Amino acid sequence: MGLTFVTDPVSVSTPATSANLGPGFDALGLALTLYDDLTARVTATGCTVEISGQGAGELPTDAEHLVVRAMLATFDELGERPPGLAVRCVNRIPQARGLGSSSAAIVGGVQLARGLVEGGRELIDDAAALRIAADIEGHPDNVAPCLLGGFTVAWTEGSGARAVRLAPAEGVRPTVFIPAERGYTATARAALPSEVPHADAAFNAGRAALLSHALTSDPALLFAATEDRLHQGYRAAGMPGTASLVAALRSVGVAAVVSGAGPTVLALTEVPGDFHPGAHWHSEVLGVDGAGAVVKGGMVEHAERGPVAAGRKS
């Protein structure tokens, strides 16, 4: 028996995310209150994508669009594709700035596909949705907080990506500093060495463990907990403005890090009112998103969930 596709449109809001958070390279992530809004419906034939906001005029408007590619991968997992799709994207997450725009598209596509199929959430649960999204993205550190919300710890094992969701403490106050220029993950990864000193690996292991405690229980420790020796220093030459801003913020006691692969800078503690990053930077105070990729309509409507793997509920 084939799938039954719903006839009404389905919508999803996908949050921006910041990965790594300093020492948690490829593992830690945080969902932020900046969203792309996506809508999809099943049509008789073809595939169209309407884009407004970030990426309009640049991104594909057919089946090559990342949202559609993620939808089709999810439908393939379910065993059947719909005859056609019409997708609308209202994008607010800046493209290629280290705020998880690709993960928002991928998670949004997975969620839309689940919502367009009767019983889609039961056929593909959150754990399977995470695996599909991580397989497309190549790593789980952004897709996990985008799907689940909050602060996430993600890892990959034989069966694929897994994650736990933890609730950040009240004192976590994210501010993002976004430059005009773009940065690309592949370029940033190419700057990393194949090996690092054992002392640096041990340093980061301790700081990453501390960061999990600081973010969830004791924000006063965030400055020490966000120190890193695995990736930010190696990438500094390729993003001198980002490295300088991180250093300037940290010099006044702000727990600042490179957001993902950059070039955006994330501050996790309050920034002094007299701090001025310069005209090159657009700053925005955000909250921590607690719900993740919330779907409205169709067959996947929820705003709260437990962890995907064993862990503490928020």
Side-chain angles (χ1 to χ4, degrees):
M1 182 180 293
L3 299 176
T4 300
F5 298 103
V6 302
T7 56
D8 293 332
V10 173
S11 298
V12 59
S13 293
T14 52
T17 52
S18 183
N20 302 328
L21 308 180
F25 183 67
D26 275 4
L28 304 184
L30 192 68
L32 304 171
T33 55
L34 177 65
Y35 303 93
D36 287 349
D37 290 327
L38 315 175
T39 302
R41 60 184 175 86
V42 173
T43 61
T45 187
C47 177
T48 61
V49 182
E50 178 186 343
I51 304 167
S52 61
Q54 300 285 336
E58 301 177 53
L59 299 173
T61 56
D62 55 15
E64 291 303 307
H65 192 285
L66 192 52
V67 170
V68 179
R69 286 163 51 196
M71 292 181 75
L72 296 178
T74 307
F75 288 131
D76 288 345
E77 188 78 13
L78 289 163
E80 184 180 348
R81 294 184 176 186
L85 290 167
V87 178
R88 183 168 186 267
C89 306
V90 179
N91 295 337
R92 300 179 186 88
I93 303 171
Q95 303 282 305
R97 299 301 202 287
L99 288 169
S101 59
S102 63
S103 289
I106 292 166
V107 170
V110 173
Q111 292 290 76
L112 288 172
R114 293 170 76 196
L116 285 171
V117 173
E118 288 192 6
R121 190 181 180 193
E122 289 71 38
L123 293 168
I124 293 182
D125 61 14
D126 281 357
L130 176 66
R131 288 194 294 271
I132 294 169
D135 283 347
I136 299 170
E137 180 74 314
H139 43 90
D141 50 346
N142 283 101
V143 294
C146 186
L147 177 67
L148 303 174
F151 166 53
T152 57
V153 182
W155 71 98
T156 303
E157 53 188 40
S159 60
R162 300 184 69 190
V164 291
R165 177 191 184 280
L166 304 174
E170 290 293 329
V172 179
R173 299 182 178 87
T175 300
V176 292
F177 296 86
I178 306 169
E181 75 270 9
R182 296 182 174 186
Y184 296 94
T185 300
T187 303
R189 285 186 179 272
L192 300 178
S194 59
E195 297 179 351
V196 297
H198 186 277
D200 289 349
F203 179 93
N204 266 56
R207 289 305 194 273
L210 178 61
L211 182 55
S212 293
H213 171 74
L215 268 173
T216 57
S217 301
D218 192 355
L221 294 172
L222 280 170
F223 187 83
T226 49
E227 292 182 301
D228 163 71
R229 292 184 184 174
L230 282 189
H231 65 102
Q232 293 183 150
Y234 296 107
R235 293 168 163 173
M239 298 182 292
T242 295
S244 294
L245 181 55
V246 169
L249 285 163
R250 295 190 72 86
S251 73
V252 294
V254 178
V257 298
V258 179
S259 181
T264 292
V265 172
L266 171 72
L268 289 172
T269 52
E270 190 170 357
V271 178
D274 60 354
F275 182 87
H276 301 291
H280 178 67
W281 298 88
H282 164 70
S283 63
E284 190 168 349
V285 179
L286 301 173
V288 176
D289 170 83
V294 177
V295 178
K296 298 177 181 178
M299 304 305 295
V300 189
E301 187 156 2
H302 56 83
E304 295 185 74
R305 59 176 67 75
V308 167
R312 178 169 67 81
K313 289 189 178 180
S314 63

